[in-house]
């Protein structure tokens, strides 16, 4: 899968991770971020809105601990965020504690790996009331699926010469912030680089772990319909993550989005990190035709790369309503309600 090619910086998490501290020790009052009002429409003159609804921490494959990430978010003047770790909400509690102290509004969330027509697709779940019974059970299932998948990936990587693949990937996970979470493909990618079997992360994905390669094991993920059901059952809004990053024609993307809507999906990421403005305009037209809400997110993983919390291309002007104006999310974000 090459969906997240731009999501990760080739650099390892820098020591910055540990130095981030919003309030200098000498300062008495903690620096609290000042929220700006959220717009009801994407105007051409709004730059990056004061919100970032897609980011990762060490609870999945990100490089920063949840509290450090929130501190960086606040320091960058972003006052509303969602933490959307892959198939996990383990970082939410820590992030919420930090967010409360810094005046950041934090929407509980996660990024679910699902199957659609035998492709891996990512769904961002925005959960104003947190995970209820349905998503909690779903996340247990995802955790198990990830465990099983990691053994299968390890077996396949051993075949191409990565001895003790499981242990090596675990070691990489530990070096990158957390040794006790389920493994993800970047852990195997780093192990391949470390063992001299790939030049860098990109190369490891291109040759061994990306779409269509040996290590792209996707059989364990639930069908898209099932996972969207968990989100809806618990009062959340399901957002199609980075719709332009899948290798799909416009027509196929339309089919994906229609199936997503039929399953209960309501929004898609109009902006994901840095992207081409013409393609974003085209996506906006498609979302408008389908009557969807639009979300924005950096898909930030690591400091030291091209992306940071709140850094993303400006959205194109469109009448598609922002997802923070969705009736189930607007109160949480203190935003105006817009119905489609
Ligand atoms: P997993 O959730 O275990 O399938 O791992 C997917 C993650 O791998 C994505 O969320 C990205 O963070 C990362 N990733 C995917 N493709 C690439 C790539 N080509 N180069 C670097 N990282 C990637
Ligand atoms: Mn990732
Ligand atoms: Mn993704
Ligand atoms: Mn992501």
């Amino acid at each position: 899968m090459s969906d997240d090619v731009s999501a990760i910086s080739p650099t390892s998490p820098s020591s910055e991770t540990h130095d981030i501290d919003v309030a200098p020790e000498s300062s008495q009052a903690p620096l609290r971020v000042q929220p700006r009002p959220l717009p009801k429409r994407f105007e051409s003159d709004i730059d990056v809105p004061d919100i970032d609804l897609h980011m990762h921490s060490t609870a999945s494959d990100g490089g920063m601990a949840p509290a450090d990430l929130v501190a960086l978010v606040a320091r960058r003047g972003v006052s509303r965020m969602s933490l959307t770790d892959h198939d996990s909400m383990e970082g939410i509690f820590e992030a919420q504690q930090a967010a409360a102290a810094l005046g950041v509004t934090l929407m509980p969330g996660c990024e679910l790996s699902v199957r659609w027509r035998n492709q891996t697709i990512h769904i961002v779940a925005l959960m104003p009331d947190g995970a209820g019974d349905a998503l909690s059970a779903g996340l247990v299932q995802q955790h198990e699926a990830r465990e099983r998948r990691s053994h299968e990936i390890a077996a396949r990587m051993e075949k191409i010469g990565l001895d003790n693949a499981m242990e090596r990937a675990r070691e990489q996970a530990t070096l990158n912030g957390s040794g006790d979470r389920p493994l993800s493909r970047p852990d195997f990618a780093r192990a391949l680089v470390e063992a001299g079997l790939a030049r860098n992360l990109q190369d490891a994905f291109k040759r061994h772990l990306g779409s269509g390669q040996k290590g792209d094991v996707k059989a364990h993920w639930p069908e898209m319909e099932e996972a969207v059901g968990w989100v809806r059952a618990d009062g959340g809004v399901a957002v199609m993550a980075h719709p332009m990053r899948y290798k799909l024609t416009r027509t196929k993307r339309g089919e994906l989005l229609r199936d997503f809507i039929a399953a209960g999906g309501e929004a898609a990421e109009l902006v994901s990190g840095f992207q081409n403005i013409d393609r974003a305009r085209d996506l906006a037209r498609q979302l408008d035709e389908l009557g969807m809400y639009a979300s924005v997110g950096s898909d930030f993983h690591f400091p030291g790369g091209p992306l940071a919390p709140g850094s993303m291309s400006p959205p194109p002007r469109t009448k598609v309503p922002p997802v923070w104006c969705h009736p189930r999310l607007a109160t949480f974000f203190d935003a105006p309600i817009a119905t489609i």
Side-chain angles (χ1 to χ4, degrees):
M1 170 175 73
S2 58
D3 65 308
D4 278 6
V5 175
S6 60
I8 243 179
S9 119
T11 52
S12 59
S14 73
S15 55
E16 239 185 87
T17 309
H18 306 288
D19 301 340
I20 286 157
D21 189 355
V22 166
E25 271 167 86
S26 57
S27 138
Q28 298 292 1
L31 182 67
R32 287 175 66 88
V33 66
Q34 285 304 318
R36 289 172 275 146
L38 288 170
K40 196 169 178 173
R41 294 283 175 222
F42 294 102
E43 316 284 351
S44 62
D45 55 353
I46 59 165
D47 201 352
V48 178
D50 181 16
I51 186 163
D52 187 338
L53 297 176
H54 188 152
M55 281 180 275
H56 296 269
S57 75
T58 49
S60 67
D61 59 353
M64 299 180 78
D68 292 339
L69 172 68
V70 175
L72 178 59
V73 167
R75 203 174 68 183
R76 290 182 49 80
V78 176
S79 73
R80 299 163 183 99
M81 68 175 285
S82 183
L83 176 60
T84 55
D85 277 304
H86 294 286
D87 305 305
S88 171
M89 291 177 73
E90 299 278 315
I92 299 294
F93 181 76
E94 180 186 319
Q96 263 169 340
Q97 305 284 302
L102 295 168
V104 171
T105 301
L106 185 134
M107 169 76 63
C110 61
E111 182 175 15
L112 297 166
S113 311
V114 307
R115 255 184 317 157
W116 177 75
R117 296 191 187 169
N118 217 31
Q119 282 192 57
T120 304
I121 298 291
H122 287 173
I123 307 294
V124 164
L126 299 177
M127 309 301 302
D129 304 323
D133 291 347
L135 183 58
S136 298
L139 291 174
V140 170
Q141 193 181 306
Q142 293 293 83
H143 189 106
E144 286 162 3
R146 218 169 244 285
E147 284 291 334
R148 271 185 285 137
R149 185 186 73 147
S150 64
H151 287 281
E152 201 164 319
I153 296 176
R156 295 189 189 189
M157 293 301 103
E158 296 208 352
K159 288 210 179 94
I160 61 157
L162 187 70
D163 300 334
N164 300 319
M166 207 58 198
E167 291 73 13
R168 284 169 186 252
R170 176 66 62 203
E171 193 179 303
Q172 291 302 318
T174 308
L175 286 171
N176 283 281
S178 168
D180 53 9
R181 58 166 170 77
L183 296 173
S184 59
R185 284 183 293 163
D187 303 315
F188 288 96
R190 288 199 181 85
L192 288 170
V193 175
E194 184 67 24
L197 291 163
R199 285 193 303 279
N200 50 43
L201 281 186
Q202 290 295 334
D203 187 46
F205 270 92
K206 193 164 153 226
R207 290 170 41 204
H208 304 299
L209 292 158
S211 188
Q213 304 302 317
K214 257 197 164 55
D216 175 29
V217 181
K218 48 175 139 347
H220 303 305
W221 301 132
E223 284 294 331
M224 177 167 75
E225 197 182 353
E226 185 186 349
V228 173
W230 306 333
V231 178
R232 289 302 301 266
D234 289 352
V237 172
V239 182
M240 175 60 58
H242 41 65
M244 302 305 263
R245 254 189 263 160
Y246 311 111
K247 288 203 185 93
L248 297 171
T249 60
R250 191 179 201 274
T251 310
K252 278 270 153 57
R253 191 163 57 247
E255 290 171 18
L256 168 66
L257 291 171
R258 271 176 229 282
D259 284 355
F260 181 59
I261 292 167
E266 296 170 279
E269 287 181 339
L270 175 59
V271 178
S272 174
F274 294 109
Q275 60 188 36
N276 178 292
I277 184 72
D278 293 325
R279 298 190 72 202
R281 279 200 194 95
D282 187 42
L283 179 59
R285 275 193 293 277
Q286 207 164 17
L287 300 188
D288 186 28
E289 285 158 21
L290 293 165
M292 299 183 84
Y293 288 85
S295 188
V296 302
S298 60
D299 205 358
F300 173 73
H301 283 72
F302 293 100
L307 280 172
S311 71
M312 59 187 96
S313 299
R317 179 195 278 269
T318 172
K319 62 182 197 315
V320 175
V323 75
W324 52 83
C325 296
H326 186 291
R328 287 202 301 284
L329 305 183
T331 324
F332 192 100
F333 285 126
D334 194 20
I337 291 179
T339 45
I340 290 179

